Amino acid sequence: MPLKLSSAVTELPRVGPAKAKYLTKLGITHARDFLYTFPRRYNDFSKITPVNELKVGEQMTVQGVVKSAKSNQGWRGRRRLLRVYVEIEDDTGVLNVTWFNLRFLMQQLGTGRNIAVAGTVEQDTRSKQLRMRSPVIEFLDGTGEQTHTGRITPVYPETYGVTSRFLRYQVKQALPLLQRLPEYIPADIRERHELVGIHEAITTMHFPDDTDALEVARRRVRFDELFFLQLAALVRRAQREQRSARPLPVLNLTQFKKQLDFTLTAAQLEVIDEIATDIGKPVPMNRLLQGDVGSGKSVVALFAARTAMADGHKVLYLAPTEILARQQAKLFAKTLGEDSVALLIGALPSGKKRALKERLRTSDPLCVVGTHAVLQEDVQVANLALAIVDEQHRFGVEQRQALQEASDDDMVPHLLSMTATPIPRTLNLTVYGDLDVSVLDELPPGRMPVTTSVVPPGERDDAVVHILEELHAGRQGFVIAPLVEESERLEAKSATEAYGEMRKLFPDIAIGLLHGRMSSEEKAGVINNFSAGALQLLVSTSVVEVGVNVPNATVMIIEGAERFGLAQLHQFRGRIGRGEHQSYCYLFPTSDEAVTAKRLQVLATTTDGFVIAEEDLKLRGPGEVYGAAQSGFGDLQVASLLDYPTIKIARQEAVKILKNDPQLDEYPILKAKVEQKNLLTHFE
Ligand code: ADP
Ligand code: MG
């Protein structure tokens, strides 16, 4: 059977069932996927160099004939080691090459055979002779066509059982199939932005003739990736705008303000206004509220909830942790009334759960605050007008969708997502192209920025003395225990150890312990005691990251600080500096070397969440920061979410195309891509 772009990998030569399984890990299931799996990087083996011109330390290709080949069986420690020694001769000299444990090689290395090897040139310390160890090898068949040597060679993302060498071979096999791939970016767009055709782009991405050609190809692929992202976001937005939501009458703001024990900031008022406008429409809102930790997002959410309740509807509020759910339920109950707020968490007794679910089916107004248990319970909510997701980056696209689907009728609830991981302003378009974004860019008055220091292991005593002073002055504090990734049990152990140490350091201080292995009642008890001031110091794992709001807490120690990500450290730090007193955050790295870790330095020099988000993005990349799954930009192989110029162009072109053809009827491939999220799915 002739190969097609849509042929399963198992139809290709050299791909058996085992190989196919490994390939799946790279997302390669069909022939076309080889073409769209782009190299991570390249080795420039294009310099074919005579042996007498080789330079130590450089990557070069040598072509010649096998002069001699021998092998010996040795040992390295307890392991058997087969060494293959080969002399390669060209017109100018002889190069020694060694390979290890390549059993098949000896049989193929007959004297006189034409081969090319590519690798880094080294000098043998004793003999001073030039040599290569484990270079890439290619047998020259006289066609002049080379895949692995004598050119800029692609290096692919590898996984167990799949080497770059194998991928190069398969890509080469698949390249002729490109002829059947129709161009899918309209000609006028390509002309406007000087983008090469897709055949040239893909061929060059894998086997570039030179670096200039490669850059031209990358330009095209970058555009494609960002264009699809924009197109998909705009289509999602258009689809949402076709659905109906309950329009909510504007709430009396004066009355709302009276119920608060502080004055709303200008930023809060502005965002409240944006939300009021959105939810007043019969179209579902999809708004992301960005605000640094402590910027006062809760009261904005409360306003939205109050608006929905005042009109007699239901509200679902999704929190990432039980601690936060409890705290938020308490806060909301203060304004909305005890009877109008219910907590739905996993730990709720099943009888109560059932009763609550019954209540959700009635038309009475109610605000349910819960964790993801809300979703697991498969609730059917009558009269659902609003869904709120706090710390939305903790939830995936599906979870947010499920929340909106909880409505028992055709009306979609308005959706307010909140995040304390601000997205650099320039990225709003890309990251959440189908959302509207509001920003709380002002902290409540009287907040002093937290003073942050990175404390080398030898200087901890000074920090400890200072913390003791603060505690004796009536303040409270946190100790964050080192991160243990492997298991909750080990993390709990690490926190328990830190707790023991603190009790020795501060024998006359009331200290609490908080970790993920405690029952939710135990956790709630500790948090309550800490909030009430009965505990002065709280030793905790990362469970404390979000939600604990104790304005009297002014000091924090983060043990093993370098193990945490930047955004997470910033979140921890957000637990202090919430009141009128100056607060102090001490980062305790585990070693002197870690003191200079970039993210600790960033944290020590700024408290601006946007700056931190931008640095985090640079350090870790968008997939890590925002979660690849949640926004579908796991698809980006070549493009960067920081490439604002290309994003802007892609956005403009996507808007233009959809304006003329909202259903993309004239662009079946673009349509398929947008709908199925898998490029080329419907290709032959
Ligand atoms: P976050 O944005 O991190 O969720 P919160 O909503 O928990 O922040 O607010 C942090 C603290 O600031 C809370 O104690 C809250 O009562 C207080 N707060 C919020 N808005 C104001 C304001 N306008 N003036 C004074 N305090 C405020
Ligand atoms: Mg919050």
Side-chain angles (χ1 to χ4, degrees):
M1 210 168 48
L3 286 183
K4 297 178 185 173
L5 285 165
S6 59
S7 298
V9 287
T10 42
E11 293 173 37
L12 301 173
R14 298 202 203 170
V15 183
K19 195 66 127 192
K21 229 164 100 189
Y22 297 138
L23 285 169
T24 306
K25 292 210 178 102
L26 290 172
I28 301 175
T29 53
H30 295 83
R32 61 178 177 248
D33 300 329
F34 283 112
L35 298 174
Y36 273 88
T37 301
F38 297 122
R40 276 274 160 77
R41 59 184 181 84
Y42 301 84
N43 282 327
D44 188 352
F45 291 142
S46 57
K47 276 180 261 170
I48 299 175
T49 313
V51 170
N52 68 354
E53 290 175 25
L54 289 175
K55 291 204 187 71
V56 176
E58 290 196 21
Q59 288 193 331
M60 292 174 156
T61 295
V62 170
Q63 295 188 8
V65 295
V66 176
K67 185 171 173 237
S68 75
K70 51 183 197 287
S71 65
N72 79 24
Q73 187 74 252
W75 296 87
R76 180 186 279 165
R78 287 200 181 160
R79 287 249 198 90
R80 260 175 192 283
L81 185 69
L82 178 77
R83 290 193 186 83
V84 176
Y85 300 99
V86 177
E87 291 179 304
I88 299 170
E89 184 171 38
D90 72 3
D91 295 340
T92 68
V94 174
L95 176 70
N96 294 313
V97 176
T98 320
W99 283 280
F100 305 94
N101 284 343
L102 283 181
R103 209 156 288 278
F104 79 96
L105 209 58
M106 264 316 280
Q107 293 122 42
Q108 299 190 42
L109 282 168
T111 322
R113 193 144 187 209
N114 276 313
I115 64 169
V117 292
T120 307
V121 181
E122 300 173 4
Q123 188 164 36
D124 189 287
T125 34
R126 257 175 285 162
S127 70
K128 299 291 172 212
Q129 278 184 327
L130 297 187
R131 67 171 186 202
M132 282 187 191
R133 282 185 295 178
S134 304
V136 176
I137 181 169
E138 183 153 26
F139 295 97
L140 302 177
D141 53 10
T143 60
E145 188 46 41
Q146 279 166 250
T147 306
H148 308 289
T149 61
R151 54 159 41 260
I152 298 178
T153 315
V155 180
Y156 293 95
E158 295 184 8
T159 178
Y160 182 75
V162 183
T163 61
S164 267
R165 191 180 180 87
F166 172 80
L167 287 169
R168 278 196 289 272
Y169 168 82
Q170 290 298 349
V171 169
K172 202 128 205 199
Q173 297 273 312
L175 276 178
L177 303 179
L178 265 184
Q179 295 316 316
R180 313 176 61 140
L181 176 74
E183 175 61 67
Y184 43 84
I185 300 291
D188 60 317
I189 297 184
R190 279 186 286 124
E191 271 158 35
R192 264 197 294 283
H193 307 293
E194 297 176 358
L195 302 168
V196 292
I198 191 62
H199 297 176
E200 179 183 340
I202 289 185
T203 309
T204 306
M205 281 302 291
H206 293 287
F207 294 105
D209 287 334
D210 53 54
T211 47
D212 290 346
L214 179 59
E215 189 40 42
V216 169
R218 291 176 71 93
R219 238 178 89 79
R220 162 68 202 252
V221 176
R222 270 203 294 269
F223 178 85
D224 280 20
E225 291 181 347
L226 294 170
F227 180 65
F228 284 131
L229 210 59
Q230 292 298 337
L231 212 51
L234 289 167
V235 167
R236 276 202 304 274
R237 172 188 281 269
Q239 283 168 349
R240 166 164 56 86
E241 285 172 352
Q242 276 171 6
R243 302 196 56 183
S244 310
R246 296 183 164 81
L248 302 171
V250 181
L251 188 72
N252 182 331
L253 195 59
T254 321
Q255 231 170 33
F256 179 70
K257 283 184 191 163
K258 272 194 206 135
Q259 292 181 294
L260 306 174
D261 42 19
F262 47 73
T263 314
L264 293 169
T265 63
Q268 282 168 328
L269 284 169
E270 200 174 309
V271 171
I272 281 177
D273 192 48
E274 286 170 337
I275 291 173
T277 307
D278 278 4
I279 58 183
K281 294 182 188 157
V283 173
M285 168 174 82
N286 189 10
R287 188 167 282 277
L288 175 70
L289 171 56
Q290 294 182 19
D292 214 341
V293 276
S295 61
K297 294 185 290 294
S298 303
V299 70
V300 174
L302 179 62
F303 167 84
R306 185 94 173 72
T307 307
M309 304 271 290
D311 198 40
H313 304 292
K314 287 209 188 58
V315 177
L316 286 184
Y317 184 111
L318 189 60
T321 64
E322 285 191 13
I323 295 175
L324 189 58
R326 283 177 197 277
Q327 183 173 289
Q328 221 60 350
K330 223 158 121 187
L331 179 76
F332 277 27
K334 260 190 2 200
T335 311
L336 302 174
E338 290 290 339
D339 296 339
S340 304
V341 179
L343 190 65
L344 178 51
I345 54 177
L348 201 67
S350 57
K352 284 198 173 166
K353 252 186 220 166
R354 223 174 303 125
L356 182 54
K357 280 161 75 177
E358 276 307 314
R359 212 176 146 194
L360 282 169
R361 287 203 193 92
T362 70
S363 62
D364 298 343
L366 180 67
C367 176
V368 172
V369 180
T371 55
H372 56 276
V374 171
L375 304 172
Q376 282 159 4
E377 289 299 327
D378 181 31
V379 289
Q380 287 292 310
V381 185
N383 222 351
L384 178 62
L386 173 70
I388 302 172
V389 183
D390 199 359
E391 303 297 338
Q392 61 95 38
H393 62 281
R394 297 292 195 89
F395 301 97
V397 175
E398 303 80 29
Q399 284 171 307
R400 273 176 280 163
Q401 249 163 21
L403 198 61
Q404 287 192 292
E405 303 299 319
S407 175
D408 78 346
D409 55 22
D410 286 346
M411 304 286 246
V412 181
H414 297 289
L415 179 63
L416 175 64
S417 314
M418 306 198 283
T419 181
T421 308
I423 294 141
R425 273 162 245 262
T426 49
L427 286 190
N428 285 341
L429 270 190
T430 357
V431 179
Y432 300 109
D434 63 328
L435 301 165
D436 298 303
V437 179
S438 293
V439 183
L440 280 182
D441 51 6
E442 177 187 4
L443 292 181
R447 296 277 174 77
M448 281 172 283
V450 177
T451 304
T452 304
S453 355
V454 187
V455 184
E459 296 167 24
R460 287 185 189 188
D461 287 355
D462 294 344
V464 167
V465 168
H466 178 234
I467 286 162
L468 197 57
E469 284 168 4
E470 286 284 316
L471 297 175
H472 280 158
R475 305 283 86 78
Q476 290 165 278
F478 294 95
V479 176
I480 310 293
L483 181 70
V484 185
E485 302 258 19
E486 291 89 62
S487 76
E488 211 173 52
R489 185 180 63 78
L490 290 176
E491 182 143 280
K493 183 163 168 262
S494 142
T496 309
E497 278 166 17
Y499 174 70
E501 280 164 32
M502 290 301 142
R503 296 199 33 170
K504 270 188 235 145
L505 270 179
F506 305 116
D508 58 343
I509 297 289
I511 307 182
L513 173 64
L514 194 65
H515 60 69
R517 296 268 280 184
M518 292 160 60
S519 75
S520 70
E521 278 78 36
E522 283 174 314
K523 276 189 268 187
V526 171
I527 296 271
N528 281 340
N529 283 335
F530 187 65
S531 301
L535 292 170
Q536 288 172 279
L537 195 61
L538 185 60
V539 179
S540 172
T541 59
S542 56
V543 295
V544 82
E545 183 186 342
V546 283
V548 177
N549 184 26
V550 179
N552 188 45
T554 60
V555 286
M556 173 173 280
I557 292 175
I558 305 179
E559 297 266 14
E562 79 278 9
R563 297 196 198 153
F564 296 101
L566 189 47
Q568 207 178 8
L569 289 166
H570 182 58
Q571 287 273 351
F572 291 145
R573 184 172 60 177
R575 298 307 110 210
I576 56 174
R578 298 184 148 238
E580 50 187 316
H581 303 286
Q582 173 64 50
S583 292
Y584 305 88
C585 179
Y586 292 106
L587 306 173
F588 282 8
T590 40
S591 69
D592 281 321
E593 292 79 67
V595 170
T596 54
K598 176 85 196 221
R599 50 182 184 281
L600 301 190
Q601 294 304 325
V602 170
L603 204 72
T605 44
T606 183
T607 52
D608 182 332
F610 279 100
V611 174
I612 287 172
E614 207 140 356
E615 286 298 330
D616 202 25
L617 204 59
K618 279 190 217 149
L619 288 170
R620 286 192 297 156
E624 285 276 316
V625 176
Y626 304 122
Q630 75 160 330
S631 25
F633 41 70
D635 292 358
L636 297 191
Q637 294 185 67
V638 181
S640 156
L641 284 181
L642 298 171
D643 178 5
Y644 195 56
T646 311
I647 289 163
K648 224 166 116 185
I649 294 170
R651 176 83 168 188
Q652 282 164 2
E653 294 296 355
V655 168
K656 209 182 287 177
I657 250 187
L658 287 169
K659 203 168 153 208
N660 296 328
D661 184 0
Q663 303 298 324
L664 292 173
D665 291 330
E666 283 176 47
Y667 307 96
I669 299 176
L670 298 184
K671 193 181 172 87
K673 170 62 186 168
V674 165
E675 283 170 1
Q676 302 173 9
K677 294 186 172 164
N678 183 3
L679 190 58
L680 311 182
T681 304
H682 75 322
F683 284 178
E684 275 296 283

